[in-house]
Amino acid sequence: MNEKLLQYLWNFKIFNNFDFKDTDGNSIEILNFGKWNTDSGPDFLMATIKTKNLILVGNIELHVKSSDWIFHQHSADPNYKNIILHVVYLHDMEIDEFNAQDIPTLELRNYIDENSSNKYEKFASGNQFISCESLFTPDKIPVFFHEENVLKKLQEKSVSIEEDLQKSKNNFEAVLFHHLAYSFGLKVNAFIFKQIAESVDFSIINKIRQNRTQLEALFFGISGWLEKPTDNQMRVWKREFDFLTTKFQLPAIKIHPKFLRLRPPNFPTIRLSQLADLYFQHQNLFSKMISAKSVDGLYEVFKDIKASEYWDNKFNFGKESNNNQPKMLSKDFISLIILNTILPIKYAYHKYHNEEISDEIIHFYKSLPPEKNTVISNWEKLKIKASTALESQSLIYHFKSNCEAKNCLNCGIGFKILKEI
């Protein structure tokens, strides 16, 4: 037995009978089991019970053992002051404050069918792609499953964006820059690129964005690549970086991006040069992103972005390659930027001022192609095909938030299956 399963059984009232008695033998009638609280505080809010001819309204806390109340240090937490019932699987000790306040304890182990517990343990202990793989069928997916998942993901990302806004004094342009840097870094360099972007006040980016060479020099210099220039262009970048360092009193820090296990088109040299070109070409980038009414409008912003000419025949400094062509952004890469940065920023910006933003954002997701990765391939083996980015983003989010964490009891699909087994 674990606490999540206990909460699940309480919420869906899965018991052998409801002739509840507290640990002192007094009858307890549950008039309202309460609202399941997935945030901090008591597990069930606004519950109503009747015991000793009294009707009590308040909150209910569930634990596997009575002693968990002490172990979790709830006594000192003001959120737990309005407890009317302590529900446990095993009553292993008396709680003095409950006795003093005449708060009953309900032990559930004799009211629970062991099969319910065994089914869940078996269900959640598998090593397949998803725990319910052997029982899953496409018809188990609830209505509006994908829309709800994507909106949950957007809400979570908007919290992160709002935290960044506080650090940036509500400067959405700066936050966009930081998050674009993160996306350009892809998985390997995402956090490193964001560190590079955050190491410089965005006002400096604004002041030099009409000078592409200075933008590249700034990014390359912070990355520690200009200390020993090996060709004329590197010497130009170093001269510009030294000038910027003196003019803006840049901190003497170096943040080193990684090259390991990256395909040459994704080398940080290429991606930082492309990021510099994006800010060079679009002086009012944020307003273009926010005002775009279609996916085509967003693609238009990125379609001509490329690394500078120095990189036409190179992927790293001073090393020529046989690939002699402009290093443009691919359409797949642009799609990832739109999905992972632009749409979350648009949602966070509009959500307090535009009641229809959710529908608009969902439409954007439906207009973008699905991602291709291992998670999506595994869903396809279960006969779930993602035909749009809405579906692929939903399936990826659901897998990471529920399936990977074996959070079956809070999963709409898992709930349907558990009811049937």
Side-chain angles (χ1 to χ4, degrees):
M1 178 59 63
N2 62 56
E3 200 166 300
K4 277 189 177 180
L5 177 56
L6 202 60
Q7 292 172 3
Y8 171 85
L9 296 173
W10 183 263
N11 187 65
F12 296 107
K13 308 169 185 62
I14 305 174
F15 302 110
N16 292 330
N17 65 78
F18 295 86
D19 297 326
F20 296 133
K21 295 185 185 300
D22 68 18
T23 52
D24 291 327
N26 301 301
S27 294
I28 298 178
E29 184 180 356
I30 310 298
L31 303 176
N32 183 338
F33 281 71
K35 180 182 178 183
W36 196 351
N37 175 33
T38 56
D39 296 320
S40 59
D43 296 317
F44 289 84
L45 309 176
M46 299 178 289
T48 308
I49 69 171
K50 182 177 181 181
T51 183
K52 298 180 182 178
N53 294 318
L54 292 173
I55 294 179
L56 305 174
V57 178
N59 304 324
I60 296 175
E61 178 67 5
L62 276 69
H63 286 123
V64 175
K65 296 182 293 185
S66 299
S67 56
D68 288 338
W69 175 269
I70 306 297
F71 181 73
H72 294 164
Q73 299 180 335
H74 290 323
S75 297
D77 190 335
N79 290 316
Y80 292 85
K81 293 301 181 187
N82 192 27
I83 297 296
I84 59 171
L85 178 64
H86 191 208
V87 177
V88 300
Y89 178 73
L90 176 66
H91 181 54
D92 64 336
M93 70 174 290
E94 294 292 330
I95 306 298
D96 291 341
E97 63 189 281
F98 289 160
N99 290 335
Q101 299 171 43
D102 203 22
I103 296 172
T105 296
L106 170 61
E107 185 182 62
L108 285 178
R109 60 175 172 164
N110 293 325
Y111 298 95
I112 295 174
D113 183 354
E114 283 191 18
N115 288 331
S116 299
S117 176
N118 293 337
K119 285 174 184 176
Y120 168 72
E121 294 296 340
K122 184 178 180 181
F123 181 69
S125 63
N127 294 317
Q128 306 114 312
F129 166 61
I130 57 176
S131 296
C132 60
E133 190 168 310
S134 60
L135 301 168
F136 175 83
T137 53
D139 62 290
K140 298 292 192 301
I141 293 184
V143 179
F144 299 120
F145 174 81
H146 297 306
E147 288 84 352
E148 289 177 3
N149 275 337
V150 167
L151 288 174
K152 282 180 188 174
K153 179 177 181 179
L154 283 169
Q155 184 59 34
E156 288 176 11
K157 293 201 79 168
S158 74
V159 171
S160 171
I161 290 168
E162 286 166 6
E163 290 173 355
D164 286 346
L165 275 171
Q166 289 184 343
K167 298 175 190 173
S168 302
K169 299 178 181 177
N170 288 322
N171 188 335
F172 260 102
E173 289 195 85
V175 171
L176 174 64
F177 174 58
H178 300 158
H179 284 253
L180 278 170
Y182 182 92
S183 285
F184 270 75
L186 294 171
K187 189 174 182 180
V188 172
N189 284 308
F191 285 104
I192 295 173
F193 274 27
K194 192 166 186 242
Q195 280 183 300
I196 291 172
E198 290 176 341
S199 70
V200 180
D201 193 287
F202 184 71
S203 63
I204 296 174
I205 302 298
N206 262 338
K207 289 173 183 175
I208 69 172
R209 65 194 300 172
Q210 293 180 325
N211 188 325
R212 179 175 177 170
T213 299
Q214 287 191 343
L215 280 172
E216 282 188 291
L218 181 64
F219 297 159
F220 295 160
I222 294 173
S223 299
W225 294 331
L226 302 178
E227 294 175 356
K228 295 180 180 179
T230 57
D231 57 39
N232 287 335
Q233 183 57 58
M234 287 190 72
R235 282 187 278 274
V236 170
W237 281 323
K238 177 171 171 42
R239 185 180 68 240
E240 293 294 340
F241 181 65
D242 290 343
F243 168 74
L244 294 173
T245 299
T246 302
K247 180 177 180 179
F248 296 113
Q249 297 184 320
L250 299 178
I253 59 171
K254 295 292 180 284
I255 302 168
H256 302 282
K258 300 174 183 177
F259 289 81
L260 191 64
R261 289 189 291 276
L262 284 172
R263 292 173 55 249
N266 289 329
F267 275 8
T269 46
I270 305 302
R271 293 306 185 197
L272 284 175
S273 180
Q274 291 166 337
L275 180 61
D277 189 45
L278 176 64
Y279 274 82
F280 167 69
Q281 286 201 38
H282 298 286
Q283 303 301 310
N284 55 346
L285 183 61
F286 178 75
S287 63
K288 289 181 179 179
M289 300 297 187
I290 294 304
S291 61
K293 297 298 182 185
S294 69
V295 166
D296 289 341
L298 292 174
Y299 275 123
E300 189 69 22
V301 173
F302 292 97
K303 71 181 181 71
D304 294 326
I305 302 304
K306 61 182 178 179
S308 60
E309 292 181 5
Y310 176 84
W311 302 105
D312 285 356
N313 64 345
K314 300 179 188 67
F315 290 102
N316 212 334
F317 294 97
K319 298 178 182 178
E320 294 191 6
S321 73
N322 295 326
N323 187 330
N324 191 355
Q325 60 183 4
K327 305 299 189 292
M328 310 289 295
L329 295 181
S330 69
K331 193 164 185 179
D332 285 345
F333 186 77
I334 295 172
S335 295
L336 283 176
I337 294 171
I338 293 172
L339 286 172
N340 295 326
T341 299
I342 307 307
L343 295 184
I345 292 279
K346 279 175 73 73
Y347 178 81
Y349 180 78
H350 285 298
K351 74 173 184 175
Y352 296 117
H353 313 290
N354 181 357
E355 293 181 359
E356 297 179 356
I357 190 58
S358 295
D359 293 336
E360 291 179 20
I361 295 291
I362 291 297
H363 179 72
F364 272 99
Y365 278 97
K366 287 181 177 178
S367 302
L368 285 160
E371 296 110 303
K372 298 174 183 177
N373 56 36
T374 305
V375 173
I376 297 302
S377 298
N378 282 324
W379 280 112
E380 286 178 351
K381 291 175 184 175
L382 298 176
K383 296 183 170 54
I384 300 296
K385 182 173 176 58
S387 56
T388 68
L390 175 73
E391 293 165 354
S392 63
Q393 285 272 296
S394 163
L395 292 169
I396 293 167
Y397 173 81
H398 189 79
F399 173 74
K400 291 181 177 178
S401 300
N402 293 287
C403 307
E404 200 169 41
K406 297 191 182 297
N407 195 17
C408 308
L409 299 177
N410 289 325
C411 165
I413 296 172
F415 172 60
K416 273 191 173 184
I417 292 174
L418 281 167
K419 282 183 70 177
E420 296 171 2
I421 61 175

